[in-house]
Amino acid sequence: MAGEKRLARTRNIGFMAHIDAGKTTVTERILFYTKKTHRMGEVDDGTATMDWMQQEQERGITITSAVTAVEWKGNTIHIIDTPGHVDFTIEVERSLRVLDGAIAIFSAVEGVEPQSETVWHQADKYRVPKLAFINKMDRIGADFHGTVKMMVDRLGAHPILLQIPLGAEDKFMGVVDLMRSRGIIWNEQSLGTEYYEIPIPQEMDQEVSEYRSKLIESIAELEEPLTEKYLNGEGISEAELKGALRKATISMRAVPVLCGAALRNRGIQPLIDAIVDFLPSPLDIASVEGTNPLTGEKEKREARDDAPVTALAFKVMMDEGRKLVYIRIYSGVLRVGDEVYNPRLRKTEKVSRIFQMHAHQRTRVEEARAGEIVAIMGLKETTTGDTLCNKSHPILLEPIDFYKPVMSIAVEPKTGRDQDKLIESLQKLSEEDPTFHVKVDEDTGQTILSGMGELHLDVLVNRLLTDYHLEVNVGKPQVVYRETVEKESEASFLFAKETEETKLFGEVFLRVSPNGRGKGIEFYSEVPGDTLSQDCLSSIEEGIRESATFGVIMGYPLTDVRVSLLRVNMDPNHPSPLALKIAASNALKEACRKAQPVLMEPMMEINIIVPEEFMGEVVGDLKARKSSVEAITPKGKIILIKALSPLTRMFGYSTDLRSLTQGRGTFSMQFSRYDKVMT
C-alpha cells in the first residue's frame, strides 16, 4: 500500500522543444522554485545546472539529456531535459522511451517550429501524454492564440486552454487561471518566488468569460456524465473539471495549455502544479509489455515494488573511464549488490552502486524502486536499449529505435603514437551515442566517424580534445551513401566444398526487386515450409543481410530491396546451414549486379525562416543547390520555406544563409529519406 501511495505521487516527465524555445530555462526555474538549487542558472551565461558539459556551456545549447528529481507539494518529479537540435534527436528518442509524460515548450514568437513537430510525433509514437507551455510571452511578436492555432494545424493536437496571458510583449504581467477566474502575477524583486492572485481586470471580463465557457464546454465534451450536467445547465466543480481533463490528457485526447515567460520568472509554479494534476503517475499508464525470451510469449510487468525487477537501460555515460548506465525501473526493487540478467547478452551482471542523479552530480543510494529513474555502476557490457531483469523471471522489453548516420569525416591523431588511444576513446564515445559509428577503412587505413550532421560530428571531435585530451586532424565531411536496385532480376549460386570431415553443399535461387523508399531490406521465402528447416532458413536470411551491408557499386550498404527465396538445393540427409549462408550471400550480389544497381544519397528536409525581403535570394540559392521547394508560407513579416535537398549540397549552408539574409535567416535540417543521386 505504501508503495502504491509513493507511485501515485511520482511523475517521470521530460521537456521537449525546438532549439532556443526555452527548455533549459524552464527547467532551471523549476529547480529553483522546488528548492533543488539555491540560485538560478542561465543558459546565456553558461551557468545552467542541466547544461553541465563544457561543450554545452560554450555553445549555449543542450547536447545530452540530463536527469534530476525534485519534490513539489509531497510529489516526486523525475525530470529529463532534452536537446532541441535535430543532430541530437536520439537523446529525445531514448528519453521519451522511458518517460510517462512530456511538456512541449513553444516560443510564442516562432510558434510550432520544425523540431517541435519532430519531437511531438516522437512522443506520439511512444504514446506519451503531453502538456504545452507557450513561453516567451514577453517578447516582441509574441502571439499566444496564433501558437495555439499552429498546434491544431501542424500537430493535429486538441489544445485545452487552462490559461490566457495577462497582456503580451512588454506589457505581459502574468496569466489568467480560467478554471478559477483569477489573475496571477509575479513579484519581480523576489525572482518570481512570490506570486499572488488578483481579480480579473475589468477590460478583460468579457474575454475571460468567453474562454472560461469554452474551457468548461471542451472538458464537458470529454466525459459523458459531465456532458449531461453541462447540457442541463448544472454547475461543474473544479475537482470534476480537473479529474476529467486528467483522464483525457493521460489517454492523449487533450493537451492542457499554459503560458508564461521563463526568463522573466513568470508562469512556472502553475506549470509544476499542472504536471502533478494532469500528467500520469506510473500507476496511470499501461503495464510495460515484453517478450519472455524462453517461451516467446508476451508478458506484462505492473508498476509494483513486489513484482520481479524489470528495467530498461536508456543511456550510457562514461565517467572518468567508468561506465554509468541510466535506467528506468518499471517494476520491483533494485539493491546494491544485486545481480541483474541481460536477456540480449544472456548474461548476469552485478550492480555495484546506485545513484540518484542531479545533472552530473550523484547521490549514492542503497536501493531504487519501481517508477524511479536512476544511474547504476558495475554493468560492463550493458548498452542503450538493453533490458535488465530477474533471471528467474526473464523479460525482453522492446528496444529503442536508432537513427542511421548520414554524414562522415575522417580523423587521425596529430601524433602517430596516439592511434590506439584514439580508437579506444572513439569506442567509448560510440557506446554513449548509438547514432555515432566508428570504422577503419580497410583500403586507406583511415578512421571514419559517422554521425547525424555537421554539429554532431563537430561536438564529438571537440569532446576528443576536452574529455580525452586528444588532438586530431579532421578531413572534409563526406556523405554516407546507400545502394539499391531499379529492376527485378534472378540469380543463383552453388557452393560445394568437401573436407576430410564434412561435405558442404548448398544452392540458393533468389529474386531481387525494388522496394518502397524507406522500407530497407525485406526478405520473403517462397519455399514450402516443410522442405526447409528453420535453422537453414535463418542461415539463408543471415547470409542475405550480411551481404547487404556491402553493395555492388561502391561497397555502400544496400537498402530498399525486396529479396525472395525461390528455391533451394541441398543434401537432405546432410543439410549444411553454412553452405546455404555462403550461397545466399553470393546469390544476392549476383542478382543485384543484374538488377541495374544505383547509388542513393541522403535527402534532407530543410525548414528555413527568413524575412520576406530575402525570400527571392534564398529560393534562388536553393534551386541552385538542386533542392525542390515544397512550400512557402507567409507568417506576418517572415516567410517559412520548406524544401528537400541532397545533403551533399548543404555543407556550410548556415554561413551562406547568414550572408544571403544579413544574418537574419535561420534554418533546421533533418534526414528525410534516401533517394537516387542527382546528376
Side-chain angles (χ1 to χ4, degrees), residues 495-506 571 573-579 582:
F495 181 80
K497 189 174 183 182
E498 209 167 324
T499 64
E500 288 176 15
E501 296 91 23
T502 54
K503 182 182 177 186
L504 298 173
F505 172 77
D571 183 343
N573 299 318
H574 300 96
S576 169
L578 177 60
I582 295 167

Side-chain angles (χ1 to χ4, degrees), residues 25 53 57 86 122 145 191 194 306 320 336 345 378 426 631 663:
T25 305
M53 282 173 66
Q57 292 169 355
V86 68
Q122 282 174 309
H145 296 293
L191 293 177
E194 292 174 16
D306 56 358
E320 296 172 357
V336 171
L345 300 170
L426 289 171

Side-chain angles (χ1 to χ4, degrees), residues 73-88:
K73 298 180 181 176
N75 299 278
T76 302
I77 305 173
H78 296 272
I79 298 172
I80 302 184
D81 178 33
T82 63
H85 196 286
V86 68
D87 281 17
F88 308 106

Side-chain angles (χ1 to χ4, degrees), residues 14-15 22-34 37 41 49-50 66 68 70 79-82 105 262 268 271:
F15 292 99
K23 285 181 314 304
T24 303
T25 305
V26 170
T27 310
E28 291 298 321
R29 270 54 186 173
I30 289 177
L31 295 178
F32 183 67
Y33 298 137
T34 55
T37 55
T49 307
M50 303 298 272
T68 190
V70 300
I79 298 172
I80 302 184
D81 178 33
T82 63
I105 298 178
I268 303 300
L271 174 62

Side-chain angles (χ1 to χ4, degrees), residues 296-331:
E297 299 289 315
K298 291 280 183 196
E299 289 190 10
K300 290 187 175 182
R301 291 284 186 272
E302 287 182 27
R304 295 199 334 257
D305 290 349
D306 56 358
V309 72
T310 306
L312 185 77
F314 69 95
K315 183 178 167 71
V316 171
M317 288 285 287
M318 288 299 172
D319 183 53
E320 296 172 357
R322 290 175 300 178
K323 191 168 174 179
L324 201 58
V325 180
Y326 287 75
I327 63 168
R328 158 74 192 265
I329 303 177
Y330 287 100
S331 64

Side-chain angles (χ1 to χ4, degrees), residues 601-631:
E601 64 184 332
M603 301 297 289
M604 310 302 284
E605 183 185 302
I606 319 292
N607 289 277
I608 306 164
I609 299 173
V610 292
E612 57 187 356
E613 62 263 36
F614 300 110
M615 186 189 82
E617 290 94 323
V618 171
V619 169
D621 178 66
L622 285 170
K623 288 187 173 163
R625 293 171 189 269
K626 301 267 173 79
S627 307
S628 61
V629 176
E630 302 198 323

Side-chain angles (χ1 to χ4, degrees), residues 74-141:
N75 299 278
T76 302
I77 305 173
H78 296 272
I79 298 172
I80 302 184
D81 178 33
T82 63
H85 196 286
V86 68
D87 281 17
F88 308 106
T89 195
I90 182 58
E91 291 287 339
V92 185
E93 184 88 16
R94 59 184 175 184
S95 300
L96 286 168
R97 176 69 176 76
V98 297
L99 291 173
D100 301 331
I103 295 93
I105 298 178
F106 302 106
S107 162
V109 182
E110 287 84 7
V112 177
E113 297 173 273
Q115 184 64 2
S116 313
E117 288 186 62
T118 303
V119 294
W120 188 277
H121 297 314
Q122 282 174 309
D124 283 345
K125 180 171 88 174
Y126 290 116
R127 301 286 306 157
V128 177
K130 296 171 283 289
L131 294 180
F133 182 72
I134 297 176
N135 191 26
K136 303 192 178 183
M137 282 305 308
D138 58 325
R139 298 284 179 91
I140 292 170

